[in-house]
Amino acid sequence: MLVRLGMLQTEAGPKLVGVNLEGQFVDLCDVDVKLPNTLLEVLQTPDGLNNAAHALAAGMVKGPFLTGTPLAPIARPGKVICIGLNYRDHAEESGLPIPTEPVVFNKFSQCVIGPDENVVLPAASTQVDYEAELVMVIGKRGKRISKKEAWSHIAGYTIGNDVSARDWQIGRPGGQWLLGKTPDTFAPLGPWLVTADEVGDARELRIQLRLNGRTMQDSSTKELIFGMDDIIAHLSQITTLEPGDVIFTGTPPGVGMARKPPVFVQAGDVMEVEIEGFGVLRNPVVAEVA
């Protein structure tokens, strides 16, 4: 059984919840009053993730259950790290050589939004693209982490959409990767964190993106060039990874920029990213209001 944990906006405010087999939201802090109030704090607390999973198991049938709207599992990650060109079929689609080491960039944490929140198209960009991604969530602090040790540093996984302003990322002098990747709202996450012990090496997951119901991306994480252990070992040579850091692991083929003619998202569109067993991350698109 996949253990799914997250945050829910309720009438009483944000609540830490687990999801049972019927899709009901279990109030984890009511089951275990010692649990912190947010998933980020759970990850920062020794044995917090195990305690949350045990609370979900205890409340699976009897609750108490909550109603509300899912939020981003981690609302303000300390770091949002992204890996580019990490699907073999996407690199081939882009006409680029297969990377020999992970290609790394980042987004600002204020880009993060949750399910059903609006992705806002900046007035300064006319070429905004979608990118379905599997996202790692770090659960244990570490630096210079070996590939063998890497698995113990992963709390779990969630779904992400690496929304990108291509005319800034590529079309500006020198290539403005940071500004092209980090407009407000350009890092949807959710709906849940799925614990790593239930997923394994995450190499056999179907990943899709639908734009207004039309399937644009449809691949599998078996196409990943660098696995989770490779990525963690590579990054932690340089930077300390902290609980709650999120790592976008790359996108499969079918992005709008690579299509002929290109397909860029417009106000009124709806993007849906689905990863097998994880649920669906849905986000409407709106224009920026001056």
Side-chain angles (χ1 to χ4, degrees):
M1 181 191 74
L2 293 178
V3 176
R4 295 180 291 172
L5 307 172
M7 297 297 300
L8 193 74
Q9 182 64 50
T10 72
E11 291 183 354
K15 294 282 189 176
L16 173 69
V17 297
V19 186
N20 73 5
L21 297 176
E22 285 71 44
Q24 296 170 301
F25 305 129
V26 179
D27 185 343
L28 299 182
C29 291
D30 196 289
V31 177
D32 182 352
V33 296
K34 295 181 181 179
L35 281 173
N37 294 320
T38 69
L39 186 53
L40 177 57
E41 292 172 301
V42 165
L43 299 181
Q44 294 170 338
T45 301
D47 216 29
L49 194 61
N50 283 335
N51 293 337
H54 290 152
L56 174 58
M60 189 75 75
V61 175
K62 64 180 181 178
F65 302 118
L66 298 170
T67 59
T69 304
L71 300 168
I74 308 293
R76 283 291 180 268
K79 292 188 280 295
V80 180
I81 303 172
C82 306
I83 308 299
L85 287 177
N86 196 26
Y87 279 74
R88 190 172 304 275
D89 44 5
H90 176 49
E92 292 168 353
E93 164 191 66
S94 303
L96 296 171
I98 302 298
T100 56
E101 65 178 40
V103 176
V104 183
F105 59 95
N106 75 295
K107 292 175 177 272
F108 297 140
S109 64
Q110 72 185 47
C111 299
V112 172
I113 60 173
D116 288 309
E117 291 190 63
N118 292 333
V119 169
V120 180
L121 301 177
S125 175
T126 60
Q127 296 181 359
V128 174
D129 207 346
Y130 50 81
E131 293 191 26
E133 308 222 3
L134 174 69
V135 177
M136 261 193 294
V137 181
I138 297 299
K140 185 172 75 172
R141 187 177 190 272
K143 189 170 185 182
R144 294 183 295 277
I145 303 165
S146 70
K147 287 180 62 174
K148 182 178 179 180
E149 295 171 333
W151 301 107
S152 68
H153 290 260
I154 305 171
Y157 304 90
T158 189
I159 302 172
N161 188 346
D162 175 20
V163 185
S164 306
R166 301 298 193 189
D167 43 358
W168 282 77
Q169 175 192 355
I170 299 169
R172 311 287 287 201
Q176 295 290 331
W177 270 75
L178 178 61
L179 292 181
K181 291 288 188 175
T182 206
D184 295 341
T185 75
F186 272 32
L189 283 180
W192 315 112
L193 178 140
V194 181
T195 55
D197 56 345
E198 303 292 340
V199 178
D201 67 2
R203 279 285 197 167
E204 293 289 339
L205 301 172
R206 187 180 183 185
I207 179 169
Q208 301 172 282
L209 182 138
R210 295 182 291 274
L211 182 64
N212 303 324
R214 176 188 173 194
T215 299
M216 308 296 280
Q217 295 181 278
D218 190 353
S219 188
S220 168
T221 56
K222 68 183 179 182
E223 294 286 341
L224 283 166
I225 299 167
F226 303 105
M228 310 303 141
D229 51 347
D230 298 307
I231 293 169
I232 288 176
H234 183 72
L235 294 173
S236 67
Q237 296 176 93
I238 299 296
T239 187
T240 300
L241 297 177
E242 303 275 2
D245 288 348
V246 300
I247 303 173
F248 284 66
T249 62
T251 198
V255 297
M257 178 182 66
R259 292 178 173 271
K260 296 180 173 53
V263 176
F264 297 116
V265 299
Q266 307 294 325
D269 287 348
V270 175
M271 298 179 288
E272 294 175 302
V273 184
E274 182 171 3
I275 295 179
E276 180 182 356
F278 285 29
V280 177
L281 173 63
R282 177 186 181 277
N283 293 97
V285 180
V286 301
E288 184 177 40
V289 177

